[in-house]
Amino acid sequence: LKLARRVGLHVPDGVLMQFGDDQTPAFKLLEQGPVYAKPVRSSLLSDGFVNAFEVKKCTTPAQLERKLSEDLPRLPVLVQQPVPGHGVGLNFLADRGSLVAISMNRRLHEPPEGGGSSYRCNVPVSERESQIARGIATELNWSGLMMIELKQDADRLTIMEMNCRPWGSIETAIRAGVDFPALAFARLSVARLAFRPAARVAKARAYGHRAER
């Protein structure tokens, strides 16, 4: 969250809960309205088993108490208030802190209770958004793929998640001229890759093969 602020992103009100913490601040946040309880990881390998974790919208103290009791013994949970705006994804590939490729997609459909969308479109990347991606890649000296999930409300970009892995709508970037999987593979076999922005706008179903140009 500190890194997000440094690169110019807005950070929503919330509290990061660790196992054994006083949970009063999280329930105080709930008194102001619904909250989202977000485990800091979507999966965790423990004792040879893969444990999956999901974001949960909580509207009552009982829901929040149950979610925290289930997840906190295994990993921290971020409790945040809802954020206005529509969902966008800022996606990039970096090589030792240098940006190699970048694209951005917008959610055309979002589940009302939160979670992944099923239909998105590729949109142009502004210079501001490119600088945000560059700032994150540089500060982390990042190598590999990353998807930054954001909420856009007019000119304000609010960070929701940083996913250091391939993302569900990667097909939209491929259709727009940026083949992230191929570039990521090529990065393993050459010293440096030239920067490549998205060449055109495209849209595709995140989990299917139908697409439009």
Side-chain angles (χ1 to χ4, degrees), residues 62 67 81 103 120 123 138 188 201:
K67 179 63 174 173
Q81 292 180 321
S103 75
R120 314 171 200 184
V123 295
T138 299
L188 300 176
V201 176

Side-chain angles (χ1 to χ4, degrees), residues 8-194:
L9 294 173
H10 178 72
V11 175
D13 292 333
V15 56
L16 181 63
M17 304 298 303
Q18 305 274 358
F19 182 66
D21 283 352
D22 178 11
Q23 298 180 4
T24 302
F27 286 93
K28 286 286 186 183
L29 209 60
L30 181 62
E31 291 176 1
Q32 302 173 33
V35 297
Y36 286 91
K38 301 178 175 182
V40 297
R41 296 183 182 180
S42 57
S43 61
L44 184 67
L45 182 64
S46 177
D47 298 325
F49 294 92
V50 176
N51 299 282
F53 302 91
E54 296 182 347
V55 175
K56 171 71 174 178
K57 182 180 181 180
C58 301
T59 59
T60 68
Q63 287 178 329
L64 181 57
E65 182 178 8
R66 180 177 179 179
K67 179 63 174 173
L68 294 179
S69 66
E70 290 175 348
D71 291 350
L72 278 180
R74 294 178 287 177
L75 78 177
V77 176
L78 182 62
V79 180
Q80 288 183 328
Q81 292 180 321
V83 176
H86 61 264
V88 296
L90 183 58
N91 320 300
F92 66 85
L93 171 68
D95 183 17
R96 287 161 286 184
S98 295
L99 210 58
V100 172
I102 187 171
S103 75
M104 194 165 185
N105 58 61
R106 175 174 177 167
R107 292 184 171 191
L108 301 179
H109 171 265
E110 296 188 89
E113 297 301 308
S117 67
S118 60
Y119 196 46
R120 314 171 200 184
C121 69
N122 212 68
V123 295
V125 183
S126 70
E127 180 58 30
R128 175 196 176 197
E129 291 147 1
S130 293
Q131 289 302 323
I132 289 171
R134 281 195 179 92
I136 292 173
T138 299
E139 287 221 25
L140 296 177
N141 193 30
W142 188 253
S143 289
L145 295 166
M146 183 177 293
M147 189 276 275
I148 308 168
E149 185 178 328
L150 306 165
K151 278 293 186 75
Q152 187 171 37
D153 186 21
D155 292 332
R156 186 167 76 171
L157 287 171
T158 302
I159 188 165
M160 306 306 294
E161 295 179 0
M162 292 176 65
N163 297 307
C164 307
R165 54 171 172 74
W167 49 96
S169 57
I170 201 167
E171 177 70 13
T172 62
I174 296 172
R175 297 280 178 164
V178 182
D179 192 334
F180 279 106
L183 289 169
F185 178 79
R187 187 185 64 84
L188 300 176
S189 57
V190 298
R192 288 286 179 182
L193 293 175

